[in-house]
Amino acid sequence: MGDWWQRNIMEPGKLPLLLALGAFVLTFVITRVVTRLIRAGKGPFGNVRAGGVHIHHVVPGIVLTVVGGFAAVAGGRHGFGSAVAAVVFGVGAGLVLDEFALILHLDDVYWTEAGRKSVEVVVVTAALVGLVLAGFTPFGVDGLSPDERQDRANVIATVAGNFFFSLLALAKGKGRLALFGVIVPLVALVGAVRLARPGSAWARRFYGSRPRARAKSRLRAYRHDRRWAGPSRAVQDWIGGRPDPVPDRR
């Protein structure tokens, strides 16, 4: 275990990344627990106010992210200072992305349906950082052998191919596959070869005069959403809390 730690974490200088990821996930978990307690009216916690203004935790999160980011750039990848900077950055990023939906909508949507975006962004971010920590690099260059890496043409072709597949998947409305395809080779290929989702840039451009393709795209999207919407909502409710019900305006 010690040899693995030295070879895979310490020597490549990945300790700050590991500390940042741990601080990021732990901060998100603690923040969600505290906000749930505040919402339920339990415990000693409460909203922070200054002069009648509700100070959202994204505010100290931004400060910590900026401080930790600049300190990490100045401190390098080794030493006690870089470890502290990584933890500070991870804590700040956790606070900021926990209120990603608020930044996106410029409104306090934390406990609404729109607030689920924060949970999605945090989960995706943690997964991507975990993949990078495990040894994956953008555009799949890590999948090449040492001899292939010496051949610049192979490296360029690999990067360009995965980047193209990611762009194609994104144009077809497969954002998650496009994002993970940047890190893991050929993941984006799945989204690139399948039908585009209705309303995507690809569907608007190429399905306009193809009614059968439009109908097939809508049917496939409907079946996919019907199959996965329930489990996805259950996981998001378990992680981030159930949103407030939409008030009846009648």
Side-chain angles (χ1 to χ4, degrees):
M1 180 64 182
D3 182 61
W4 177 90
W5 176 267
Q6 184 68 27
R7 186 175 63 255
N8 294 281
I9 300 298
M10 299 302 296
E11 289 181 1
K14 289 185 177 180
L15 181 60
L17 183 61
L18 176 62
L19 293 173
L21 177 60
F24 172 78
V25 174
L26 185 61
T27 299
F28 171 74
V29 172
I30 293 175
T31 302
R32 282 286 164 168
V33 170
V34 171
T35 53
R36 284 190 180 190
L37 291 174
I38 294 174
R39 186 189 191 191
K42 299 178 181 179
F45 308 104
N47 293 323
V48 179
R49 295 186 178 276
V53 178
H54 178 195
I55 306 298
H56 292 272
H57 49 268
V58 67
V59 176
I62 292 174
V63 175
L64 292 175
T65 302
V66 171
V67 172
F70 278 111
V73 171
R77 294 189 299 174
H78 300 277
F80 180 76
S82 63
V84 173
V87 171
V88 172
F89 178 82
V91 172
L95 293 174
V96 169
L97 292 189
D98 184 57
E99 293 202 310
F100 172 82
L102 181 148
I103 302 173
L104 179 65
H105 294 278
L106 294 180
D107 193 13
D108 190 359
V109 295
Y110 195 85
W111 293 118
T112 68
E113 190 70 25
R116 291 177 181 271
K117 286 294 181 185
S118 297
V119 178
E120 293 181 7
V121 168
V122 167
V123 172
V124 170
T125 300
L128 291 175
V129 175
L131 287 173
V132 173
L133 188 63
F136 290 90
T137 56
F139 304 123
V141 179
D142 56 291
L144 300 179
S145 67
D147 292 336
E148 289 175 325
R149 290 182 185 178
Q150 292 180 359
D151 186 348
R152 186 172 298 179
N154 284 341
V155 174
I156 294 175
T158 301
V159 171
N162 286 323
F163 182 65
F164 173 75
F165 292 144
S166 295
L167 286 180
L168 203 56
L170 185 62
K172 289 191 171 185
K174 314 293 179 63
R176 291 187 184 89
L177 287 177
L179 192 59
F180 280 99
V182 171
I183 304 295
V184 184
L186 302 181
V187 167
L189 179 61
V190 178
V193 299
R194 292 176 65 85
L195 280 172
R197 288 188 63 87
S200 65
W202 185 277
R204 292 194 302 269
R205 175 66 178 83
F206 296 103
Y207 295 171
S209 58
R210 299 169 58 192
R212 291 185 61 184
R214 286 201 310 272
K216 193 174 181 180
S217 172
R218 293 193 186 105
L219 179 60
R220 179 167 293 180
Y222 169 76
R223 289 175 174 172
H224 177 275
D225 294 343
R226 185 180 180 182
R227 178 183 305 160
W228 296 107
S232 176
R233 290 175 65 90
V235 172
Q236 289 180 359
D237 289 346
W238 179 73
I239 296 175
R242 188 183 298 274
D244 291 329
V246 179
D248 190 352
R249 298 182 179 180
R250 289 179 297 177

